[in-house]
Amino acid sequence: MPAKKVLHLLTILILLTACSPSREIERLGIIHTLGIDVTDDSQQIETTMVIFQFDDQAETLTKNISGQGKTVRGARNDASSQSAYHLAAGQLQLQLFGKEVAEQGVLPYLNMLVRDANAPDTVFLAVTNQKTKEMLDTGRELTEISIGQFLHGVIEQEKKEHKIPRSDLQIFSRTYFEPGQDPWLPVLDIEEELPAMVSMGMFQDDRYVGEISLKDAFYLNLFLNRIPPAPLELSLPREPFRDYMPGHEDMESKDDLYIKIQLKGSTNTKLVDEDGLHYQTDVKVKFRLDESSEVVVVKDEKVAELFEKEIAKKMEEGYGSLLKKLQDMQSDPFGFGTYYRVQKKKGEMTSDEWRELYPDISVDFNVDAEMIHYGTIQ
């Protein structure tokens, strides 16, 4: 390379380095959690932020601050003007939406995140059953650590145990822009005097339209992903197991047997009748019995097969019930629309076209359950 070109490149690099702003960390408020609400008159946006402050004169490491404005940036600037710190979003880990905001649509606030080069695309997203300001202010009083870290940890733990599907900015954005599939987000609330995840929110495009239970969220995750062993609690009819329960004659009459299992598995879905909008989903799982509400002696394959049959039946019923709920909400997180779309010419289909078809689809859920260990459980 000619010396003249090398000199030009070095000059550019030096100039670019000189343009990089530097700030003392003691003057920064590092935003960990950002909550978005609409004000009571719905005329402005209110943001509540959990920030880390590294000033050795500060009484606590974290602080909640709020601001209002016509836009998220405007509200953030308003909050910044009330603080002695410059607010930086480079370490944003969690963005919350009040339910009212989520029902109106979250896409404008996601665009803000996507356009911010400092915001990571792995930031967790979630909905709160009340205003995020109430959740963050109340939760701060109830937890011993930063409320932002606490809520992030709650979601992270459920994800690590494969109880729920991923719910970060990257996944939400990808699902939103996929014709034939709708996004989902965890729903947080105060439960038994502690912040907790209480359900999974279902979306129609970018609008919150309802919720499903955390058990249903597990079924959704199993549908979407191959999962390693993960805990699941089920209630089975007690009657088929009576003969394998020692002393059952003296036991109080009950209808259900409650069990906890470790389950791993995967699914395979195909559109078997395009004109009839009929699908088949094969769910293959292996499970280990960890615990039951009563002693059950699984002494041979006959009893093991009985558990396999009843668990498969329970899961098939669960999937069927879940699909009906989702059709009533007009939300398709399963992505059945994507299976239909690939059959269309050039794979083209709009979300509105799928909305008209989705209520009429039918699905055969076939669960093949295999018990991998057995013996006496209690």
Side-chain angles (χ1 to χ4, degrees):
M1 182 180 292
K4 190 175 181 180
K5 287 187 176 181
V6 173
L7 181 60
H8 283 166
L9 286 174
L10 288 174
T11 302
I12 291 171
L13 287 173
I14 292 170
L15 290 174
L16 287 175
T17 303
C19 291
S20 178
S22 62
R23 297 181 185 272
E24 295 180 5
I25 193 169
E26 291 82 1
R27 307 307 304 161
L28 291 179
I30 309 298
I31 303 173
H32 177 279
T33 301
L34 173 65
I36 300 175
D37 299 305
V38 290
T39 55
D40 292 337
D41 59 8
S42 299
Q43 297 300 308
Q44 292 197 97
I45 294 167
E46 181 174 37
T47 62
T48 302
M49 288 161 282
V50 179
I51 66 170
F52 284 92
Q53 50 193 8
F54 298 95
D55 186 349
D56 57 8
Q57 301 299 316
E59 295 181 359
T60 60
L61 180 62
T62 64
K63 180 180 180 181
N64 290 10
I65 60 173
S66 299
Q68 296 184 3
K70 294 292 186 181
T71 64
V72 174
R73 286 189 182 277
R76 199 168 87 181
N77 290 339
D78 180 51
S80 181
S81 68
Q82 303 172 33
S83 169
Y85 302 95
H86 173 78
L87 302 182
Q91 294 300 315
L92 183 65
Q93 298 294 308
L94 175 62
Q95 179 152 314
L96 303 176
F97 303 101
K99 183 173 284 188
E100 187 177 355
V101 170
E103 289 172 342
Q104 294 175 4
V106 302
L107 189 60
Y109 315 111
L110 297 185
N111 280 338
M112 179 274 298
L113 275 180
V114 171
R115 293 172 185 273
D116 189 341
N118 293 320
D121 61 1
T122 54
V123 57
F124 284 179
L125 307 176
V127 176
T128 61
N129 267 335
Q130 64 278 87
K131 287 185 178 294
T132 64
K133 180 175 174 55
E134 296 175 11
M135 165 65 77
L136 294 173
D137 287 347
T138 303
R140 187 182 180 200
E141 300 171 359
L142 298 174
T143 58
E144 296 180 357
I145 64 172
S146 159
I147 178 59
Q149 288 178 300
F150 185 92
L151 294 175
H152 184 275
V154 167
I155 299 173
E156 177 72 15
Q157 185 62 30
E158 295 290 298
K159 181 177 73 72
K160 279 185 176 180
E161 293 185 356
H162 307 284
K163 295 179 180 179
I164 62 171
R166 278 178 57 191
S167 55
D168 52 43
L169 174 61
Q170 185 181 65
I171 291 294
F172 190 100
S173 300
R174 188 187 72 190
T175 308
Y176 171 81
F177 288 107
E178 181 79 13
Q181 188 173 21
D182 289 303
W184 55 86
L185 289 180
V187 178
L188 304 173
D189 206 340
I190 303 295
E191 193 173 71
E192 297 181 359
E193 299 187 350
L194 272 179
M197 185 189 304
V198 296
S199 60
M200 185 65 68
M202 298 292 104
F203 283 70
Q204 185 184 107
D205 297 324
D206 71 325
R207 294 182 299 107
Y208 173 94
V209 292
E211 63 184 2
I212 62 174
S213 69
L214 292 179
K215 181 177 291 185
D216 284 340
F218 179 91
Y219 287 151
L220 174 61
N221 192 34
L222 175 59
F223 184 97
L224 297 172
N225 303 292
R226 177 185 294 272
I227 64 170
L232 177 65
E233 291 187 354
L234 294 171
S235 63
L236 304 179
R238 182 174 180 272
E239 185 59 32
F241 301 95
R242 281 179 60 87
D243 293 340
Y244 309 101
M245 296 178 179
H248 67 82
E249 301 87 352
D250 301 325
M251 293 180 183
E252 185 179 329
S253 178
K254 298 176 183 177
D255 294 329
D256 295 316
L257 172 69
Y258 298 93
I259 63 171
K260 180 182 177 184
I261 62 177
Q262 289 287 329
L263 178 148
K264 64 178 181 179
S266 61
T267 65
N268 180 57
T269 298
K270 57 185 177 182
L271 177 61
V272 295
D273 183 354
E274 182 179 346
D275 294 331
L277 296 172
H278 185 68
Y279 295 76
Q280 177 177 311
T281 294
D282 296 321
V283 185
K284 188 173 182 61
V285 298
K286 295 183 178 182
F287 67 92
R288 183 187 73 234
L289 281 167
D290 281 350
E291 186 179 357
S292 71
S293 58
E294 301 176 58
V295 175
V296 181
V297 180
V298 191
K299 58 185 178 181
D300 54 34
E301 291 185 2
K302 181 180 178 181
V303 189
E305 289 171 358
L306 182 58
F307 269 109
E308 293 169 350
K309 174 185 174 182
E310 294 298 332
I311 288 175
K313 182 179 178 182
K314 188 72 174 183
M315 292 184 66
E316 289 170 356
E317 292 173 352
Y319 270 115
S321 175
L322 174 56
L323 176 62
K324 179 65 169 61
K325 293 175 194 173
L326 294 171
Q327 286 177 304
D328 290 342
M329 295 178 198
Q330 271 284 7
S331 177
D332 182 14
F334 284 126
F336 286 113
T338 60
Y339 294 94
Y340 181 81
R341 179 171 56 85
V342 297
Q343 303 296 325
K344 305 294 290 182
K345 185 177 181 180
K346 296 182 180 180
E348 295 178 352
M349 181 187 70
T350 66
S351 293
D352 289 339
E353 289 173 338
W354 182 240
R355 297 283 173 230
E356 295 182 7
L357 299 174
Y358 180 52
D360 298 323
I361 74 167
S362 60
V363 184
D364 288 332
F365 291 100
N366 303 315
V367 178
D368 177 12
E370 178 185 350
M371 189 173 181
I372 53 178
H373 295 293
Y374 59 83
T376 301
I377 61 170
Q378 182 177 6

